[in-house]
Amino acid sequence: MKPLHELTVAQIQQQLIEKKFSSREITQHYLNRIDTLNGDYNCYITVDASGALAAAEQADQAIAAGSNAPLLGVPIAHKDIFCTKGLTTTCGSKMLANFVSPYDATVVSKMKTAGAVMLGKTNMDEFAMGSSNETSFFGPVKNPWNLETVPGGSSGGSAAAVAAQLAPAATGTDTGGSIRQPAALCGITGIKPTYGRVSRYGMIAFASSLDQAGPMTKTAEDAAILLNSMSGLDHKDSTSLDTAVPDFTATLDESLAGLKIGIPKEYFDQRLDTAMADAVQASLAELEKLGAKLVDIELPNSALSVPAYYVIAPAEASSNLSRFDGVRYGYRCKDPEDLEDLYTRTRSEGFGDEVKRRILVGTYALSAGYYDAYYRKAQQIRRLIKDDFVRAFEQVDIIAGPTAPSTAFKFGAKTADPVAMYLEDIYTIAVNLAGLPAMSLPAGQLDNMPIGMQLVGNYFAEQKLLNVAHQFQLATKWHTSTPTSLKG
Amino acid sequence: MSINSEQVANTAKLAKLKINADEASEVAERITAILDLVDQMQAVNTEHVEPMANALDAVQRLRIDQANPSEDPQARRAAFQTIAPATDQGLYLVPKVID
């Protein structure tokens, strides 16, 4: 039998029901691994051993009683952006280092209802602002494939935890690529659903019109299983979609014969490393062998997505982060002289440099006289970007290309130049602006480091994406490849 | 578009952030680099394009403004105030605002 940490969520579900092992056994197994190995990777900010074991005991009783809750007894990790009642939720920031939420995020409560056992909370870029996990107040996460390189961000702790087999699956959030880019850099599978598919209630807000939660897993099948439990209308989130949620696992086995895959020429231009392009092309050829047809398409406004995003996201962040003022919860500066000093020192001491930078950009873009030139202009460009995708989806079923321009880079390589870091998300950001679903899956390696392929679907087409990814994973082995550091 | 140290200081004031004098020029430089990136938008004619806030052009759902009777307001307030930096008799404490 395989070691427990090598099992997928689907295999854990099956073997728990067959009583090959108990939820307590697999939960304890993961807690032991975390205890031994988390110091090497820094994936977790908080580990909840007693809570996890209690939940596992409960799950074992429910299994014995014949319950068939979909994630019953399966250990998972939550990104530390999701509020968890009674357990610290830091959002990777000094500002919330002591914050214990009085309620659960909807994603957390839904997965709890589905029977999942939470191991702990994973590290992330501060307030999800970053593409390398280097902005976390709790120190950077290391990429299990090469400890000198970043895991990507902002959901880098979740991605590294799955890659290092310190959790079979984890949740993430994606505002400009924060599920897909770390999934690509750590060699795992991750999906950002259609905007509104998963409730944002209790998910600490960065840019509300772009933020969306999704699963990060070893396989597309696992992503489908988790997404089933995460999705659905929530009256506590006014942008949550009132749309039926299909069973995302029901269509995994459909044939890809006749599937039309759009290849945007803009995603394979001179900015993409040739070796990266070759690897993605080889994976696209695999999809052709499965019956798909590749169609050249154009997304002419895609180069504008990064500029538009760096107005919209900071503008929304500057508004969302105004709530951190040292009055009701979180960090408060010592001995404030007056109210102004309380606000200013609390925020200046509580936020890190990148968060302050984005608040300043956002405040500037929204300040008197600049609204039309920046925010309104960016929202107009956002429509042009959406219209490009709408036209493309008249010709094709899905769109494919690279997830990130390169494999994982070294710590410090992009920290001095915020714009270089922002361009890390050049292929992922347009999808958030348009509100579309997209995923990343392992699709090759370069110098033993994983490469991600991005699949973008039309609105509500998560089933199609997961189907394509699952068929690809049945035909290839990239997703089963694990970091060499784990083999010792 | 470039932003100078003085504009950074004004913006910081609006955002309730303090930028130390010795950091101001570096912050201005980095924000200028971001604004240069953002300014690529200005090359595009968007004269007749409707701004888009939500891709599905969804409007926010409204609900009736009424208290939820399943929640005990006292218990709720107590739960929320246990995590506050300073409270007294159900009130949040801040430095004196009026002399």
Side-chain angles (χ1 to χ4, degrees):
Chain A
M1 197 170 95
K2 268 193 192 175
L4 295 181
H5 54 269
E6 287 183 13
L7 301 176
T8 64
V9 169
Q11 289 164 340
I12 294 170
Q13 280 180 321
Q14 183 63 32
Q15 297 186 25
L16 280 171
I17 291 166
E18 290 167 359
K19 304 218 168 47
K20 296 246 173 80
F21 49 82
S22 67
S23 175
R24 195 190 157 90
E25 281 170 78
I26 190 165
T27 300
Q28 188 63 60
H29 179 80
Y30 271 106
L31 291 171
N32 293 348
R33 273 184 74 78
I34 294 166
D35 204 30
T36 317
L37 296 170
N38 190 49
D40 296 348
Y41 308 112
N42 200 23
C43 300
Y44 284 88
I45 293 175
T46 306
V47 179
D48 183 18
S50 60
L53 290 170
E57 297 270 2
Q58 237 179 5
D60 283 330
Q61 287 167 16
I63 292 167
S67 163
N68 60 354
L71 293 173
L72 195 55
V74 178
I76 54 128
H78 282 301
K79 184 177 182 180
D80 208 15
I81 198 168
F82 293 100
C83 286
T84 44
K85 190 174 178 175
L87 190 70
T88 317
T89 299
T90 71
C91 219
S93 182
K94 179 182 177 185
M95 186 64 89
L96 292 175
N98 64 356
F99 174 64
V100 179
S101 170
Y103 59 90
D104 277 333
T106 296
V107 163
V108 171
S109 62
K110 280 178 94 91
M111 292 181 83
K112 218 181 249 181
T113 306
V117 171
M118 178 181 63
L119 296 166
K121 311 285 293 288
T122 58
N123 205 343
M124 54 182 285
D125 278 295
E126 184 180 9
F127 285 102
M129 297 179 191
S131 307
S132 67
N133 234 284
E134 289 165 289
T135 73
S136 171
F137 176 66
F138 300 91
V141 176
K142 292 177 183 165
N143 190 320
W145 291 82
N146 176 349
L147 300 182
E148 289 172 10
T149 65
V150 304
S154 63
S155 312
S158 288
V162 175
Q165 299 173 340
L166 299 184
T171 54
T173 60
D174 189 316
T175 304
S178 282
I179 287 176
R180 291 161 285 158
Q181 184 256 12
L185 269 48
C186 289
I188 67 159
T189 302
I191 181 164
K192 179 203 93 71
T194 307
Y195 180 82
R197 180 69 97 180
V198 176
S199 169
R200 292 183 297 108
Y201 179 76
M203 187 177 113
I204 296 171
F206 161 15
S208 307
S209 79
L210 305 165
D211 297 343
Q212 183 62 199
M216 303 178 76
T217 52
K218 289 177 175 153
T219 66
E221 183 186 21
D222 283 2
I225 292 167
L226 261 71
L227 195 55
N228 274 349
S229 294
M230 294 172 77
S231 305
L233 174 66
D234 178 13
H235 287 286
K236 291 173 177 165
D237 169 5
S238 63
T239 58
S240 163
L241 288 170
D242 191 2
T243 308
V245 179
D247 176 356
F248 295 110
T249 63
T251 42
L252 292 175
D253 291 324
E254 282 181 3
S255 155
L256 302 190
L259 180 86
K260 281 191 268 180
I261 302 179
I263 310 300
K265 68 170 192 198
E266 293 82 2
Y267 286 18
F268 289 90
D269 66 10
Q270 70 285 358
R271 281 172 301 195
L272 184 66
D273 184 89
T274 324
M276 290 284 294
D278 290 348
V280 176
Q281 297 285 8
S283 287
L284 291 170
E286 286 291 337
L287 289 170
E288 268 186 306
K289 279 192 226 159
L290 297 172
K293 189 168 171 278
L294 306 185
V295 181
D296 290 328
I297 59 161
E298 288 182 16
L299 298 171
N301 292 295
S302 61
L304 293 168
S305 62
V306 176
Y309 178 88
Y310 278 96
V311 172
I312 294 168
E316 294 185 10
S318 73
S319 169
N320 273 324
L321 271 60
S322 65
R323 63 171 62 97
F324 300 103
D325 58 7
V327 175
R328 287 152 301 152
Y329 51 84
Y331 179 76
R332 173 181 238 179
C333 69
K334 291 237 177 336
D335 305 322
E337 283 171 18
D338 53 26
L339 194 60
E340 185 72 20
D341 186 45
L342 167 69
Y343 291 152
T344 305
R345 255 189 325 117
T346 293
R347 292 166 61 76
S348 302
E349 293 168 13
F351 291 136
D353 287 346
E354 178 63 19
V355 172
K356 284 186 212 168
R357 195 150 46 229
R358 296 207 197 185
I359 291 174
L360 288 173
V361 170
T363 304
Y364 183 74
L366 291 176
S367 62
Y370 293 111
Y371 180 84
D372 280 355
Y374 287 120
Y375 196 73
R376 187 182 151 85
K377 184 83 179 180
Q379 296 284 56
Q380 289 173 313
I381 290 189
R382 192 173 184 180
R383 188 172 295 281
L384 296 179
I385 288 166
K386 178 200 164 177
D387 290 347
D388 279 357
F389 281 112
V390 169
R391 269 190 297 275
F393 284 120
E394 284 166 6
Q395 300 171 57
V396 298
D397 301 305
I398 65 163
I399 293 170
T403 305
S406 65
T407 57
F409 47 92
K410 292 233 159 100
F411 287 105
K414 300 187 183 187
T415 42
D417 180 359
V419 172
M421 189 72 86
Y422 295 174
L423 292 172
E424 186 59 21
D425 295 328
I426 189 162
Y427 304 121
T428 49
I429 273 177
V431 164
N432 298 77
L433 291 170
L436 293 163
M439 66 187 297
S440 179
L441 61 160
Q445 285 178 5
L446 191 59
D447 300 329
N448 297 317
M449 293 299 284
I451 291 173
M453 172 164 67
Q454 180 175 227
L455 305 177
V456 184
N458 208 339
Y459 296 103
F460 314 112
E462 291 89 352
Q463 270 188 316
K464 181 54 73 187
L465 293 178
L466 291 161
N467 164 225
V468 175
H470 180 64
Q471 291 304 309
F472 180 79
Q473 292 182 341
L474 288 177
T476 59
K477 293 277 177 219
W478 297 116
H479 64 292
T480 63
S481 183
T482 52
T484 41
S485 70
L486 298 184
K487 288 174 189 132
Chain B
M1 187 186 288
S2 70
I3 178 168
N4 59 35
S5 303
E6 196 186 329
Q7 287 168 302
V8 168
N10 287 337
T11 308
K13 206 171 167 194
L14 291 173
K16 302 274 186 252
L17 288 171
K18 186 172 163 42
I19 304 296
N20 295 328
D22 58 332
E23 303 165 334
S25 68
E26 196 193 336
V27 172
E29 205 176 290
R30 290 190 176 194
I31 292 182
T32 296
I34 298 168
L35 293 177
D36 284 345
L37 168 80
V38 158
D39 276 340
Q40 291 172 19
M41 297 192 305
Q42 307 306 339
V44 186
N45 181 354
T46 51
E47 204 181 336
H48 300 294
V49 181
E50 192 63 25
M52 186 182 99
N54 179 292
L56 301 166
D57 289 315
V59 287
Q60 298 223 328
R61 250 190 327 277
L62 300 177
R63 61 172 172 79
I64 296 164
D65 184 16
Q66 64 185 23
N68 182 346
S70 68
E71 290 168 357
D72 172 4
Q74 299 268 351
R76 188 114 176 122
R77 184 170 67 184
F80 276 76
Q81 292 205 333
T82 51
I83 54 170
T87 59
D88 186 23
Q89 299 173 56
L91 303 172
Y92 291 96
L93 296 187
V94 295
K96 200 153 95 177
V97 178
I98 302 165
D99 281 323

